[in-house]
Amino acid sequence: MAGPLEGIRVVELGVWVAGPSAAAILADWGADVVKVEPPEGDPFRGLFAGLIELEGNPPFELDNRGKRSIALDLETPGGREAAWRLIERADVFISNLRPKALEKLGLTYEACSARNPRLVYCQVTGYGPEGEESNRAAYDVGAFWSRGAVGASLMAPGMDPPQQRGGMGDHMTGANAAGAIAAALYARERTGRGQRVSVSLLRVGAYMMGWDLNTQLRFGLVGPPYDRYHAVNPIINCFRDRDGRWFWLLLLQADRHWPDLLRAIDAPWLAEDPRFRDIPSRRDHAPELVAELDRIFAQRPLSEWGPIFDHHNVWWAPIQTIAELAEDPVAEQAGVFVRVESPWGIVRQVATPASFSDTPAEVRRWAPELGQHTEEVLLELGYDWEEISALKEAGAIP
């Protein structure tokens, strides 16, 4: 069995990342995903056009592998009819087109459910499928990072807003959407009916900031962002070794771990310093404590500090670059990477973040070329070659 969703048929009408990433996760989990693209293709395909002189598009490959692509012009009667045939036999429909675009195409939840009552209809949006700004353009930089308070929460006083790396909010939203779809499929097993599932970038961003937001809701306040010199608990913080290599101390339970840290760094005098005697004192004198720890950690490389920390039960983690993560044996053992057959041979790619002991997920195919499976899918839908030729003549398919 190739994944827990083997036999589930998914139709994706998505562009860029948030919707397609959800469908890609379902494909890894065994679903048969058909990606419906316009004749000009998902604009995500052109992400690197003119920017780099490399063959391939790694972001697109991650979020579209395992799928089959059918190119349809949904503005034509023939293209719409083919889309309806797909939807009528599908278990799941996923789209991150704006609601007004789906309405224009006639592909609302109500219309799709009327034709296929068992359909799980997943709508991925920036600001929710309803409401006054449901049709506002977003991207995750807008709805998740900016409006979802993620970026501002990382801005220490005087700092510029930090930059978001591509797809951060999209991938979190896609993973949430995949989980919601799986839950709706389970509910369908009990009720016999599908339902609409909606996941928004704004809502996921707000949930990611849930500790701060819940505190705001309860008490009307939240602690402001801070830099490393003004941490509320200065021993869950980042530091540099002798060579400038960054690492993070993970001493969340400050009083529990304080003696372990002092033994590891051989600094018993800090225990006697009234500025650092307890949690409130260390908070109030965080700049002085961070400066003292900076001085101590600058005496050794991380290759020496790591074993010392481990010996004294000081929890820590290296701050790795992407290049370091790609070669990290612990990441390899944790299942972060997967080998995929590509046009260039077997390549390593990022795995989607779930494993199954009895129904292991697997990547079954490389990201498709635009319209690569158009005829194949149409034949499965009951079209014959004469009808396919007619669709081409009418401009419904390329």
Side-chain angles (χ1 to χ4, degrees), residues 46-69:
L47 178 65
F48 285 164
L51 296 178
I52 59 175
E53 296 180 1
L54 296 175
E55 190 173 10
N57 182 337
F60 182 86
E61 292 158 9
L62 172 61
D63 294 318
N64 290 280
R65 69 188 183 206
K67 306 175 186 179
R68 297 188 290 168
S69 170

Side-chain angles (χ1 to χ4, degrees), residues 258 262 265 267-274 276-277 289 292-293 296:
W258 179 240
L262 297 186
I265 64 178
W269 66 87
L270 293 179
E272 307 301 323
D273 192 319
F276 312 136
R277 66 177 179 272
L289 179 54
E292 187 66 25
L293 294 176
I296 293 170

Side-chain angles (χ1 to χ4, degrees), residues 81-103:
E81 173 58 26
W84 276 121
R85 289 202 199 183
L86 275 169
I87 291 169
E88 287 169 352
R89 68 191 291 273
D91 299 287
V92 178
F93 174 78
I94 302 175
S95 182
N96 64 329
L97 300 188
R98 281 182 266 179
K100 66 180 180 182
L102 290 172
E103 185 174 355

Side-chain angles (χ1 to χ4, degrees), residues 153-166:
S153 298
L154 299 175
M155 290 168 56
M159 287 179 56
D160 293 338
Q163 291 292 316
Q164 176 183 325
R165 303 298 291 181

Side-chain angles (χ1 to χ4, degrees), residues 55-385:
E55 190 173 10
N57 182 337
F60 182 86
E61 292 158 9
L62 172 61
D63 294 318
N64 290 280
R65 69 188 183 206
K67 306 175 186 179
R68 297 188 290 168
S69 170
I70 177 172
L72 295 175
D73 185 349
L74 298 182
E75 301 292 335
T76 67
R80 286 195 297 274
E81 173 58 26
W84 276 121
R85 289 202 199 183
L86 275 169
I87 291 169
E88 287 169 352
R89 68 191 291 273
D91 299 287
V92 178
F93 174 78
I94 302 175
S95 182
N96 64 329
L97 300 188
R98 281 182 266 179
K100 66 180 180 182
L102 290 172
E103 185 174 355
K104 179 181 178 182
L105 293 170
L107 298 176
T108 62
Y109 167 64
E110 292 75 15
C112 292
S113 180
R115 294 214 185 191
N116 181 355
R118 288 177 54 81
L119 184 71
V120 172
Y121 181 104
C122 180
Q123 206 164 354
V124 180
T125 64
Y127 301 108
E130 296 158 350
E132 63 185 74
E133 297 194 14
S134 60
N135 286 301
R136 178 182 288 277
Y139 292 124
D140 64 341
V141 177
F144 171 90
W145 185 258
S146 299
R147 202 155 184 180
V150 179
S153 298
L154 299 175
M155 290 168 56
M159 287 179 56
D160 293 338
Q163 291 292 316
Q164 176 183 325
R165 303 298 291 181
M168 288 173 59
D170 287 320
H171 284 158
M172 289 188 64
T173 302
N176 274 275
I181 289 166
L185 287 170
Y186 176 72
R188 191 185 70 173
E189 291 303 302
R190 293 180 295 165
T191 67
R193 285 193 59 86
Q195 60 183 297
R196 183 173 75 164
V197 171
S198 59
V199 182
S200 72
L201 289 157
L202 177 62
R203 191 167 168 181
V204 173
Y207 184 72
M208 195 182 87
M209 299 308 305
W211 287 6
D212 284 345
L213 185 54
N214 233 35
T215 303
Q216 178 70 37
L217 294 172
R218 287 275 283 114
F219 302 126
L221 56 87
V222 68
Y226 50 79
D227 60 27
R228 60 186 294 269
Y229 296 102
H230 298 88
V232 176
N233 174 7
I235 59 174
I236 183 165
N237 208 346
C238 51
F239 296 94
R240 278 178 291 196
D241 73 352
R242 185 182 68 191
D243 302 323
R245 174 78 187 275
W246 286 97
F247 62 93
W248 217 289
L249 290 183
L250 312 175
L251 308 182
L252 178 62
Q253 295 175 273
D255 278 348
R256 170 190 171 187
H257 290 295
W258 179 240
D260 297 330
L261 176 62
L262 297 186
R263 283 192 298 272
I265 64 178
D266 193 21
W269 66 87
L270 293 179
E272 307 301 323
D273 192 319
R275 297 174 299 172
F276 312 136
R277 66 177 179 272
D278 55 24
I279 292 174
S281 299
R282 291 192 290 272
R283 177 198 62 209
D284 294 342
H285 297 280
E288 298 99 303
L289 179 54
V290 171
E292 187 66 25
L293 294 176
D294 279 346
R295 182 188 64 80
I296 293 170
F297 290 136
Q299 297 173 7
R300 294 174 182 267
L302 189 57
S303 59
E304 294 181 16
W305 280 123
I308 293 172
F309 292 156
D310 291 343
H311 178 74
H312 290 282
N313 196 34
V314 173
W315 301 358
W316 69 285
I319 296 178
Q320 297 199 126
T321 64
I322 288 292
E324 289 167 335
L325 175 60
E327 302 303 324
D328 187 343
V330 174
E332 185 72 51
Q333 295 156 17
V336 170
F337 308 109
V338 65
R339 273 71 180 172
V340 184
E341 180 69 46
S342 81
W344 308 279
I346 300 295
V347 299
R348 289 169 79 222
Q349 286 204 312
V350 179
T352 49
S355 298
F356 303 89
S357 63
D358 293 348
T359 55
E362 64 179 58
V363 181
R364 291 181 292 183
R365 58 173 62 88
W366 191 249
E369 297 296 326
L370 173 61
Q372 179 179 343
H373 305 94
T374 298
E375 289 84 359
E376 175 185 307
V377 171
L378 290 174
L379 289 169
E380 291 175 4
L381 294 175
Y383 288 85
D384 59 31
W385 285 108

